[in-house]
Amino acid sequence: MRLILLGAPGAGKGTQAKFITEKYGIPQISTGDMLRAQVKAGTPLGLEAKKHMDSGGLVPDAVIIGMVKDRLNQDDCKNGYLFDGFPRTIPQAEAMKEAGVALDFVLEVDVPDEDIITRMAGRRVHLASGRTYHVKFNPPKVEGKDDETGEDLIQRDDDKEETVKKRLEVYHSQTKPLVTFYSNWAATGDAKAPKVRKIAGVGSVEEITTRAFDALK
């Protein structure tokens, strides 16, 4: 099983990625993890990436594709792999295609923007313990206070409504077009093109997982 998992920030991709990787016995490949591993190991690609990261720039696609190919040669990828958060843009998808990275499916977890804003903007965190709450779905016993210590809960900057809206805008402008890219490729009848599937990411975790597994048959 070789697939790309797509979905807006807060769509619940991380949760589904865990179930899919367990079911198929495949690793979850995140470019962030890969970058950190290569930088830490001091590989030529890692050093090249670090140069760009240190200057505050983006790591070039060529470097990332090099890391992806490197990663796919490792033993745990023999049965497949799940890409999470990559490719993010059309040029990255084209570079993957040119590099001959094999894919079976592109699975999009679709959640309406207003649901994502409700989900993320309602999150509250107790920083010291990492305990998380939600003002609507999992409220603390006392508003704004941690159940166990009574200390204040905070809203992370990433979860503030204006930040969530900005992240959704970036997703719609850069990443959402990947669905069209892969759909158009599949429409050409090319045997190497992945099958594109879309599932609703609203409902219980179990319901969404069932939809994901059904879509990957």
Side-chain angles (χ1 to χ4, degrees), residues 29-112:
I29 296 179
S30 119
T31 44
D33 294 346
M34 256 184 343
L35 278 168
R36 282 186 287 276
Q38 297 251 7
V39 168
K40 197 174 164 194
T43 65
L45 283 168
L47 294 171
E48 172 73 12
K50 190 174 186 310
K51 209 169 62 190
H52 295 281
M53 286 152 79
D54 288 349
S55 66
L58 288 173
V59 179
D61 289 347
V63 175
I64 296 202
I65 295 289
M67 288 186 184
V68 167
K69 287 167 82 173
D70 212 32
R71 180 69 185 85
L72 298 187
N73 284 330
Q74 292 174 23
D75 283 352
D76 62 345
C77 292
K78 282 202 175 108
N79 295 326
Y81 34 82
L82 178 150
F83 282 109
D84 172 24
F86 183 80
R88 279 183 198 272
T89 60
I90 299 287
Q92 287 179 347
E94 284 171 339
M96 267 177 93
K97 184 180 174 183
E98 277 164 31
V101 174
L103 290 169
D104 301 310
F105 285 97
V106 172
L107 180 64
E108 181 191 8
V109 181
D110 184 45
V111 179

Side-chain angles (χ1 to χ4, degrees), residues 139-216:
K141 294 189 181 94
V142 177
E143 190 181 333
K145 303 289 179 190
D146 177 50
D147 285 352
E148 292 188 28
T149 63
E151 290 167 357
D152 286 345
L153 300 176
I154 65 133
Q155 183 183 36
R156 288 199 190 106
D157 287 342
D158 258 9
D159 293 336
K160 290 187 170 149
E161 188 166 327
E162 58 274 26
T163 312
V164 175
K165 284 181 172 163
K166 280 201 190 94
R167 289 173 70 195
L168 286 168
E169 275 169 30
V170 171
Y171 175 74
H172 288 300
S173 66
Q174 290 187 2
T175 311
K176 186 82 178 169
L178 291 170
V179 175
T180 310
F181 172 84
Y182 285 112
S183 300
N184 289 346
W185 181 13
T188 64
D190 182 349
K192 288 183 182 156
K195 298 178 185 76
V196 180
R197 299 279 184 269
K198 176 157 123 174
I199 59 164
V202 182
S204 72
V205 170
E206 293 76 17
E207 285 167 346
I208 300 163
T209 306
T210 303
R211 283 177 213 145
F213 289 163
D214 286 346
L216 297 173

